[in-house]
Amino acid sequence: MTSSDKKLSSARLTQPTNAFVEEFTASVNFDKRLYRQDIQGSIAHATMLAKTGILSNDEKDQILAGLQSIESEIEDGQFKWSIAQEDVHMNIEARLIALIGDVGKKLHTGRSRNDQVATDIRLYLRDMITPITSELKRLQLALLDVAEREADTILPGFTHLQTAQPVTFGHHMMAWYEMLCRDAERLTDCAKRVNSMPLGAAALAGTTFSIDREMTAELLGFDRICQNSLDAVSDRDFAIEFNSVASMLMMHLSRFSEELIIWSSAQFDFVDLGDAFCTGSSIMPQKKNPDVPELIRGKTSRVYGNLFNLLALMKNQPLAYNKDNQEDKEPLFDTVDTLLGSLRVYADMMSVITVKASNMRQATLRGYATATDLADYLVRKGVAFRDAHEVVGLAVAYGIKHEKDLSELSLQELQSFSKAITGDVFDVLTLEGSVAARDHLGGTAPSQVKAAIARARASLST
Ligand code: ARG
């Protein structure tokens, strides 16, 4: 047995671990992803141990050099991960001892794998929130570009998926933009609670060595220190919170995807997603399937599943650390990967989407989308809203029967429903008039959309 095969935590046990139990309990196959954070944490810990006189400077230097060469070994694919060493932490520590000898055995002074793993996951999540936030921003910018290009483009706004009132495509994009803004805020807020340092909690109660947690926290760039050792090693609420932020974000992407799927169908034909984001069918030659949005919709379920997984993982655990917590990593990693990938593909897809303005316009005209405008017009002419509502309902029924939009009815025909109608009615029956009239903060008028885009660009650049 070479020294890096010798178990680091088994002296008390007289029997060797059952071979399958060893495999069953090992986490190295998935937690090796944390190697960089593990080494970073160990470097900070050893540095602090030397500054506080618990290790000598020479010992610290040997440990740091060993850890750095282990990092290179891992990055060069030379490192031999071993199931026998159970997890990323013990694999690295065993290798350190093999490389630098007995000094390596001092690294674990004043810490435990319990505070070590909690630290690693927090560092990892903090590291991953950065690219997630920038992919989210890239998507937001792509949405702003589409919104700007299509600020005046009109499509039917829907309620119950029935044509309701005309809206501008820019306004519609800005609705998604707003949702993503809240997601970005939630991400930033969650990052604050992620960035808190468990190290120093040791196994659960703290350590008898006179460690300096402030120093370690500063070395690792933590904003704060977990204030209670039991809490520090046992809770994973930061991971659950991240997964819940991710779930909300995926929910938004999934709803958005649903629209893209509907809009790219032959029946709607409002948008073209770009060939690079669709696939064909192996049997039906005419098909261009919106695979990317469909997959995002599907992957949203995975992220919800991971959230529930983590919540369920925690609910029965007494304080402090329990091995159950080893199960936190796979769902968390999967959520990170899924979210990052989804945002990336979405940002790319939205950068090439094309909008079929004339199809959207035709659809808006078919749906009596300006009926509310006619009712509002009547109210301004002194008709009570409920009466106006009824008049317009009758006019729409007439239009359906004669296959004419309200704007295609003659003045005479319109006046047969209400004497209050005069020649200026046609101004409100046009689609452009309808959207331009909703000219207040948050309304669909192109001028308001452009102002909203300008505000958004200013806030994204800060
Ligand atoms: N691999 C473990 C985990 O992921 C590390 C901590 C193990 N601690 C222990 N006392 N068994 O949670």
Side-chain angles (χ1 to χ4, degrees):
M1 189 186 272
T2 68
S3 54
S4 40
D5 290 334
K6 187 168 164 280
K7 278 199 198 299
L8 294 179
S9 60
S10 60
R12 179 213 183 282
L13 309 176
T14 50
Q15 303 283 318
T17 319
N18 168 295
F20 183 64
V21 169
E22 185 169 277
E23 198 183 312
F24 186 75
T25 53
S27 55
V28 63
N29 284 338
F30 53 84
D31 68 16
K32 64 184 173 198
R33 183 195 281 235
L34 297 171
Y35 77 87
R36 203 173 288 133
Q37 290 78 15
D38 197 67
I39 290 173
Q40 187 188 3
S42 290
I43 288 177
H45 180 66
T47 306
M48 179 278 290
L49 290 179
K51 289 238 165 83
T52 50
I54 301 166
L55 287 184
S56 73
N57 270 327
D58 178 53
E59 290 168 333
K60 181 253 309 177
D61 290 342
Q62 291 184 54
I63 288 174
L64 263 49
L67 288 169
Q68 271 142 9
S69 66
I70 291 172
E71 185 158 18
S72 310
E73 286 179 6
I74 298 173
E75 261 148 31
D76 299 343
Q78 305 299 321
F79 191 90
K80 269 188 61 232
W81 297 101
S82 142
I83 294 268
Q85 295 301 351
E86 199 178 313
D87 56 23
V88 61
H89 324 292
M90 293 206 291
N91 266 271
I92 292 175
E93 197 183 332
R95 179 69 186 138
L96 181 70
I97 295 165
L99 273 179
I100 67 169
D102 284 353
V103 177
K105 296 181 181 168
K106 297 193 173 189
L107 170 63
H108 214 50
T109 312
R111 85 171 177 188
S112 147
R113 274 188 298 154
N114 297 353
D115 58 346
Q116 190 179 355
V117 70
T119 303
D120 289 3
I121 315 169
R122 286 173 181 269
L123 287 172
Y124 170 80
L125 203 46
R126 185 183 77 184
D127 289 349
M128 294 314 291
I129 288 176
T130 307
I132 289 170
T133 305
S134 50
E135 286 303 299
L136 176 55
K137 189 166 173 179
R138 207 162 65 78
L139 170 56
Q140 288 180 295
L141 286 168
L143 285 183
L144 291 183
D145 289 343
V146 183
E148 194 145 54
R149 263 195 329 266
E150 311 294 343
D152 303 280
T153 306
I154 293 173
L155 79 158
F158 298 101
T159 60
H160 315 270
L161 203 57
Q162 308 288 321
T163 298
Q165 292 171 357
V167 293
T168 50
F169 197 81
H171 193 54
H172 197 110
M173 287 302 106
M174 291 305 284
W176 293 117
Y177 174 84
E178 285 291 323
M179 292 180 233
L180 296 181
C181 278
R182 295 193 293 277
D183 289 320
E185 277 176 29
R186 275 186 280 268
L187 209 48
T188 307
D189 198 55
C190 154
K192 288 185 211 157
R193 280 173 291 280
V194 169
N195 203 21
S196 187
M197 188 190 74
L199 218 53
L204 75 164
T207 170
T208 56
F209 295 96
S210 52
I211 55 168
D212 183 344
R213 298 186 74 201
E214 275 81 14
M215 188 189 297
T216 325
E218 207 187 312
L219 288 169
L220 291 171
F222 278 114
D223 289 334
R224 35 185 151 170
I225 295 171
C226 299
Q227 298 290 302
N228 178 291
S229 64
L230 297 168
D231 175 40
V233 292
S234 72
D235 205 17
R236 297 291 183 266
D237 61 359
F238 65 92
I240 298 176
E241 185 177 349
F242 169 78
N243 210 327
S244 110
V245 171
S247 299
M248 194 90 84
L249 215 171
M250 289 299 294
M251 178 272 288
H252 287 148
L253 294 186
S254 181
R255 290 188 68 190
F256 193 3
S257 296
E258 179 70 10
E259 292 201 328
L260 295 178
I261 294 162
I262 293 173
W263 289 348
S264 57
S265 69
Q267 288 67 24
F268 272 75
D269 203 17
F270 283 5
V271 295
D272 190 300
L273 290 179
D275 287 359
F277 296 88
C278 298
T279 60
S281 154
S282 54
I283 174 170
M284 296 166 283
Q286 85 282 14
K287 295 274 272 186
K288 174 171 162 182
N289 295 328
D291 284 34
V292 167
E294 286 176 292
L295 259 181
I296 300 277
R297 203 171 52 180
K299 283 182 186 293
T300 301
S301 321
R302 284 170 85 111
V303 174
Y304 290 2
N306 293 336
L307 173 62
F308 195 73
N309 188 338
L310 290 173
L311 283 167
L313 180 67
M314 295 311 294
K315 74 180 269 293
N316 294 343
Q317 288 194 47
L319 292 180
Y321 176 87
N322 300 282
K323 186 77 168 179
D324 313 41
N325 276 346
Q326 183 163 288
E327 288 290 307
D328 63 355
K329 286 164 208 68
E330 286 169 294
L332 186 63
F333 294 162
D334 187 66
T335 290
V336 165
D337 293 344
T338 307
L339 182 60
L340 192 55
S342 302
L343 287 168
R344 178 181 162 185
V345 75
Y346 233 96
D348 291 344
M349 182 174 68
M350 290 313 292
S351 317
V352 300
I353 191 171
T354 49
V355 165
K356 300 184 175 177
S358 76
N359 291 352
M360 295 199 287
R361 188 181 177 80
Q362 286 313 311
T364 320
L365 286 171
R366 276 197 305 276
Y368 299 93
T370 56
T372 317
D373 297 84
L374 180 56
D376 287 354
Y377 167 89
L378 287 168
V379 169
R380 279 192 293 275
K381 297 275 176 173
V383 181
F385 184 78
R386 274 293 148 232
D387 294 333
H389 187 278
E390 192 184 337
V391 163
V392 179
L394 293 170
V396 167
Y398 177 89
I400 291 170
K401 190 164 165 214
H402 295 86
E403 294 185 5
K404 284 182 181 177
D405 180 55
L406 291 177
S407 61
E408 292 165 342
L409 300 181
S410 68
L411 184 57
Q412 225 179 356
E413 282 173 302
L414 286 166
Q415 283 173 334
S416 71
F417 298 102
S418 170
K419 289 283 159 274
I421 297 176
T422 55
D424 59 357
V425 70
F426 294 104
D427 297 342
V428 308
L429 294 181
T430 66
L431 301 183
E432 284 70 20
S434 171
V435 293
R438 286 164 171 82
D439 190 10
H440 53 76
L441 184 75
T444 196
S447 57
Q448 291 295 336
V449 173
K450 286 168 194 159
I453 296 168
R455 285 195 302 273
R457 287 205 191 281
S459 91
L460 273 189
S461 64
T462 56

